[in-house]
């Protein structure tokens, strides 16, 4: 589809140009165009445009002249919104494969954490069972109890170190805020 000429201007959109500059969007458009169903959809839409809408474009020139400034302002606001998206989520400017791998990595994070936690608890239990020095129900019971104590101790030490870091960060922020207030 070619862009219609309205009031002597080619229709263009900062928003659409900005949106199609994202690798994910441009790759999606390319994939859609290369798909047989996508090609057929584009062909039907183009045919419909040329036979149903294009004949009425000359009649819309005068009304479009009235709304053109509002359309331009809406386009500018939408482009500003995409600029905000760019600054807030810089990953949208990355390659499609990098975004895909990041999403997969985040999606499977709980499974990886659960697997590593299970391995940690199992290895701790095995170590404690070997330290008991025997076989049977009593050694297994001792190993379960000491494993729970070791895991709890490790968890609390991790939590303590995390809270110590956050406490230090909050002290620094408070100090900076106090210095700003004094200046």
């Amino acid at each position: 589809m070619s862009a219609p000429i309205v009031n002597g201007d080619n229709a263009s959109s900062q928003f659409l140009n900005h949106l199609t500059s994202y690798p994910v969007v441009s790759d999606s458009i390319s994939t859609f165009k290369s798909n047989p169903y996508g090609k057929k959809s584009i062909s039907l839409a183009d045919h419909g445009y040329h036979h149903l809408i294009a004949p009425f474009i000359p009649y819309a020139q005068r009304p479009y002249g009235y709304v053109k400034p509002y359309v331009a302002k809406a386009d500018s606001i939408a482009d500003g919104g995409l600029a905000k998206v760019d600054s807030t989520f810089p990953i949208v400017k990355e390659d499609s494969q990098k975004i895909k791998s990041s999403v997969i990595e985040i999606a499977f994070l709980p499974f990886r954490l659960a697997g590593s936690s299970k391995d940690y608890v199992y290895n701790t239990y095995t170590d404690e069972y070997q330290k008991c020095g025997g076989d049977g129900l009593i050694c297994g019971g001792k190993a379960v109890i000491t494993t729970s104590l070791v895991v709890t101790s490790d968890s609390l030490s991790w939590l303590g170190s995390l809270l110590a870091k956050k406490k230090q960060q909050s002290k620094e922020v408070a100090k900076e805020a106090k210095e700003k207030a004094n200046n």
Side-chain angles (χ1 to χ4, degrees):
M1 265 191 298
S2 60
I5 297 178
V6 180
N7 291 337
D9 295 333
N10 280 335
S12 64
S13 170
Q14 296 172 352
F15 171 75
L16 290 178
N17 290 338
H18 193 154
L19 186 64
T20 56
S21 73
Y22 293 144
V24 171
V25 175
S26 64
D27 289 349
S28 299
I29 291 170
S30 300
T31 302
F32 186 77
K33 285 180 178 179
S34 66
N35 185 305
Y37 296 117
K39 285 180 184 176
K40 186 66 174 175
S41 299
I42 292 170
S43 169
L44 289 172
D46 191 44
H47 180 74
Y49 169 77
H50 285 298
H51 286 82
L52 298 174
I53 296 174
F56 295 102
I57 288 180
Y59 301 111
Q61 287 181 353
R62 187 165 183 205
Y64 180 71
Y66 295 121
V67 298
K68 185 177 179 179
Y70 303 109
V71 170
K73 181 67 176 175
D75 184 47
S76 173
I77 291 170
D79 187 48
L82 285 181
K84 182 72 173 168
V85 168
D86 288 347
S87 63
T88 306
F89 306 107
I91 195 167
V92 296
K93 295 183 264 179
E94 297 291 337
D95 185 44
S96 299
Q97 290 301 321
K98 183 174 182 183
I99 293 172
K100 181 181 175 182
S101 65
S102 297
V103 167
I104 288 172
E105 183 179 318
I106 291 170
F108 286 107
L109 178 67
F111 297 110
R112 283 197 312 277
L113 287 176
S116 64
S117 298
K118 177 190 70 111
D119 292 341
Y120 166 73
V121 171
Y122 179 74
N123 291 338
T124 305
Y125 172 78
T126 304
D127 292 343
E128 294 302 322
Y129 189 80
Q130 290 172 353
K131 287 179 186 176
C132 288
D135 264 343
L137 192 58
I138 302 295
C139 289
K142 284 182 181 179
V144 167
I145 291 171
T146 55
T147 298
S148 65
L149 293 173
V150 168
V151 170
T152 302
S153 172
D154 289 347
S155 298
L156 290 175
S157 67
W158 172 80
L159 182 62
S161 68
L162 180 70
L163 291 175
K165 288 179 190 175
K166 295 298 180 183
K167 182 179 179 182
Q168 183 62 32
Q169 288 175 353
S170 63
K171 283 182 180 180
E172 291 171 2
V173 169
K175 183 179 178 182
E176 290 174 7
K178 188 175 181 179
E179 288 175 1
K180 283 183 181 179
N182 290 336
N183 291 334

